[in-house]
Amino acid sequence: MTAKTLVRQPAAADTAPRPHASRWVWAWVGTGTVSVVGFMLVLVGYLGAGLLSGTVDWIDLLTEPMWSPTDSVFGGLAMIYGTAVVCLIALVLAVPVGWAGAIALSEYLPPRVARPLRMGVELLAAVPSIVYGLIGVMAVRPFIAWIGDVPGGDSLLAAGIVLAVMITPTIVAVSVDALSAVPDRYREAAYSLGLTRREVVRSAVLPQARQGMRAGVLLGLARALGEAIAVFLVVGRADGRLPTSFGELLDSLVHPGQTLTTKLAGPEPVLAGTSGPYFAAICGLGLVLLALVAAATMWGIRRRSGSGSAIRGNRKRRSSRMRGETDKAVGLLRLGALLLPIALLVAMLVILVTRGSAAFSPSFWLTSAAGSAGGGVSDQILGTLLLVVTTGLISLPLGFGAGILLGVNASARAARVLQTVTVVVGGTPTILLGLAGFVIICSTMGWGRSWLAGAIVLVPVVVPVVAITTAGRVGGMPAEMTESALALGLSRAQYIRSVVVPYAWPATVTGLLLGLARAAGETAPLLFTATVVFGAPALPSGIVNAPVQSLPTHIFNLSQDSGDPQAVSQAWGSALVLVLITAVLLGVAVALRNRFEGDRWTT
């Protein structure tokens, strides 16, 4: 019998396509990062050139409360105090409510209930700032006038309340994304140890979601520091009011004041010209505001010890009955905190529907404006959509690329620097962006008023929001996803393209939504660069000297004539139209996010 020799056949050649090198990833990520740094350099260069055009007494600017251009006295201390007070009030009111509401949405409610409630909160985030300003004039100012016994109700407290309502949805939306990114195995491991729901959230979920939730607070703070128009309508704009005692401090809360943004959003930046001590002092206030945003950002992102991923147990073990009662009480408080923004949304819709009845007429949507307070808003609708869509198309790739670099490739020190720069750009008062765009694009480049100039000016408003939400999502990515991808032999660029981008995309859509919601309601930068009150065509035929009309500037112009009932009715009708447009954009964004998100990656 002859033994057969077994010969191993050579393996067939692998004809399956190999992953591409994805070299374009680095160009894309680098472009996004360069854009953020470029925005900062352009802004600082504009302010620096203004400072060099005149002399600034920095001691007086930082320590003198009085501001009197006629006497050449430029003191900004009262404005710095007003900015700090209104932002502190907003954070004290918004952060506990926002975090508790986010935890209720993510950890306490079933998905079929949480999904529509989350969309409602995001709709509240999409309400433009000019609408918040109108509601502040109608509801918050009378409330402050009643409790403080002051005529009109213009006050720092009113501004703080309006800002708190504005930033709460932002904190909720970003925090929910951070909580949803926590792997379910952490919850399951904590429950297996016998922890209650409250203890699971505190010990297993919050340590993992802390970075993303902190990013939500930073975004809220950036919006509060950079908001101008809503505060402009309710703060009173009174210069030189600085308390000297604790009693005066409490009394100052219910009286008119001034902030850095309202000073920069007023007529003085135009009256100051483009050179001289007056203009230099205005630019100095802009640099002070940027420094405040930078300081708050560095404080918020500083490294803290004890942020490991281990599940933390209770140091003091309580009885089962007491733990159960505490768990129920905390759950009710968190659900109650969620009901507050939902109640605000319902109240806001009721006000808009009752006051903006003009928007229910089809002719209001389809006809052009006539005179100062007549006709419809068809031209303003088309101009607003053009600005928002153009801004979104430019901002999405830039912000996404910058966020990926922040979350994946940057070292710890570089990430802190880049995040600080990003939030500072996001917190820049849009009036400064408008003035810089007017000088650089409209005047120096010779574009004049242009819809594209307005979209470019709005890009720095949206890009930081997209970048920070993306980075927060990537920062919460489980380490084993990265290890598995690299173990399969993927290069760094292929890992970003195949793993990081799909994982971060849902949060990026949320960030784009939040950024466009803010951009849609911006008024101050468009007044200088892109819009006119009347006379512009519905759609421009070019780029240079091609202004448009927009809903935010139309509402702002109408709101200045509060004594004319027709103008007030037109303002509320235009506000309802703007909210409905942002609601439609929100619905599209949520549908896209749900489609991209699919099943939770971290289950």
Side-chain angles (χ1 to χ4, degrees):
M1 182 175 181
T2 305
K4 294 183 178 180
T5 304
L6 298 178
V7 179
R8 184 173 182 176
Q9 298 297 325
D14 187 4
T15 59
R18 303 295 297 171
H20 297 294
S22 302
R23 297 185 181 90
W24 57 269
V25 169
W26 301 120
W28 165 51
V29 170
T31 301
T33 306
V34 169
S35 68
V36 175
V37 177
F39 293 145
M40 190 67 190
L41 292 176
V42 169
L43 183 62
V44 172
Y46 165 74
L47 295 175
L51 290 174
L52 295 176
S53 68
T55 58
V56 178
D57 189 336
W58 286 100
I59 296 178
D60 281 350
L61 190 67
L62 298 177
T63 61
E64 171 63 44
M66 295 303 299
W67 179 276
S68 178
T70 56
D71 299 325
S72 297
V73 177
F74 303 104
L77 183 59
M79 288 170 272
I80 296 173
Y81 164 76
T83 300
V85 167
V86 298
C87 289
L88 181 61
I89 293 173
L91 291 178
V92 168
L93 296 176
V95 172
V97 174
W99 279 356
I103 293 172
L105 276 175
S106 177
E107 307 299 325
Y108 283 82
L109 296 177
R112 65 180 181 276
V113 178
R115 184 168 295 175
L117 290 180
R118 180 182 179 184
M119 185 172 180
V121 172
E122 291 174 337
L123 177 60
L124 191 61
V127 175
S129 57
I130 185 64
V131 178
Y132 283 110
L134 285 177
I135 294 177
V137 170
M138 190 200 77
V140 179
R141 279 173 46 182
F143 173 72
I144 301 300
W146 175 65
I147 67 171
D149 193 23
V150 291
D154 290 318
S155 62
L156 296 174
L157 181 58
I161 293 174
V162 170
L163 286 180
V165 176
M166 290 179 62
I167 69 176
T168 296
T170 300
I171 296 174
V172 173
V174 178
S175 298
V176 167
D177 276 327
L179 292 165
S180 300
V182 176
D184 282 344
R185 64 179 178 276
Y186 288 99
R187 299 175 178 86
E188 295 165 358
Y191 280 122
S192 69
L193 295 176
L195 301 184
T196 64
R197 186 189 298 269
R198 174 186 63 86
E199 294 166 344
V200 168
V201 172
R202 181 180 65 85
S203 303
V205 178
L206 291 183
Q208 300 296 318
R210 179 183 303 162
Q211 182 177 355
M213 296 176 72
R214 194 183 303 161
V217 176
L218 288 175
L219 287 173
L221 178 60
R223 182 170 187 182
L225 284 168
E227 178 55 41
I229 297 299
V231 178
F232 187 91
L233 294 175
V234 299
V235 78
R237 306 188 301 279
D239 287 322
R241 301 209 172 188
L242 189 67
T244 58
S245 65
F246 183 73
E248 291 183 1
L249 186 149
L250 295 178
D251 186 64
S252 69
L253 299 180
V254 293
H255 285 84
Q258 186 81 277
T259 67
L260 291 168
T261 53
T262 55
K263 173 61 71 175
L264 295 170
E268 293 193 46
V270 178
L271 298 175
T274 58
S275 63
Y278 193 1
F279 181 69
I282 292 291
C283 293
L285 292 180
L287 282 180
V288 169
L289 183 57
L290 292 182
L292 290 177
V293 178
T297 304
M298 288 187 289
W299 175 82
I301 64 177
R302 72 186 191 277
R303 182 177 297 177
R304 299 180 182 181
S305 59
S307 59
S309 61
I311 298 175
R312 302 174 185 176
N314 288 329
R315 293 182 179 180
K316 295 183 179 180
R317 301 295 296 179
R318 301 178 180 178
S319 64
S320 299
R321 180 178 178 182
M322 183 175 296
R323 291 171 63 203
E325 292 176 350
T326 303
D327 195 66
K328 291 179 181 179
V330 172
L332 290 175
L333 287 175
R334 286 169 174 166
L335 291 173
L338 176 61
L339 292 177
L340 182 57
I342 300 300
L344 289 173
L345 174 63
V346 173
M348 187 174 297
L349 291 178
V350 169
I351 293 173
L352 288 171
V353 169
T354 55
R355 294 296 186 96
S357 57
F360 294 105
S361 173
S363 61
F364 188 75
W365 291 70
L366 301 176
T367 59
S368 301
S372 60
V377 290
S378 61
D379 294 348
Q380 287 82 1
I381 292 174
L382 292 175
T384 301
L385 291 176
L386 177 63
L387 290 169
V388 170
V389 172
T390 305
T391 301
L393 291 176
I394 300 173
S395 303
L396 179 58
L398 297 179
F400 200 21
I404 294 297
L405 181 67
L406 278 172
V408 177
N409 288 292
S411 64
R413 178 176 299 179
R416 285 195 296 271
V417 173
L418 290 175
Q419 188 171 5
T420 301
V421 172
T422 304
V423 177
V424 169
V425 172
T428 301
T430 53
I431 183 63
L432 288 179
L433 298 176
L435 291 172
F438 174 75
V439 172
I440 298 173
I441 301 177
C442 300
S443 299
T444 304
M445 296 177 60
W447 283 22
R449 291 182 183 269
S450 168
W451 62 273
L452 185 56
I456 293 173
V457 167
L458 292 178
V459 167
V461 176
V462 181
V463 167
V465 184
V466 177
I468 292 175
T469 52
T470 301
R473 173 84 168 185
V474 174
M477 180 184 296
E480 57 267 26
M481 292 182 65
T482 302
E483 295 168 358
S484 300
L486 298 180
L488 292 174
L490 296 182
S491 66
R492 200 71 176 170
Q494 292 168 344
Y495 158 70
I496 292 174
R497 187 196 67 182
S498 304
V499 179
V500 177
V501 169
Y503 184 87
W505 187 246
T508 302
V509 174
T510 300
L512 181 65
L513 164 68
L514 295 173
L516 290 180
R518 181 183 174 189
E522 286 298 338
T523 304
L526 300 181
L527 288 172
F528 290 94
T529 59
T531 62
V532 292
V533 178
F534 58 87
L539 291 175
S541 58
I543 294 177
V544 177
N545 293 320
V548 293
Q549 302 177 65
S550 70
L551 285 169
T553 54
H554 185 62
I555 297 169
F556 181 74
N557 290 325
L558 292 173
S559 65
Q560 302 303 300
D561 192 8
S562 58
D564 183 0
Q566 185 178 3
V568 173
S569 176
Q570 290 286 97
W572 283 107
S574 302
L576 181 56
V577 170
L578 185 56
V579 170
L580 291 176
I581 290 175
T582 53
V584 172
L585 295 176
L586 168 67
V588 174
V590 169
L592 289 174
R593 181 185 64 197
N594 292 339
R595 179 179 178 182
F596 285 120
E597 190 167 24
D599 296 333
R600 184 183 286 181
W601 279 61
T602 53
T603 54

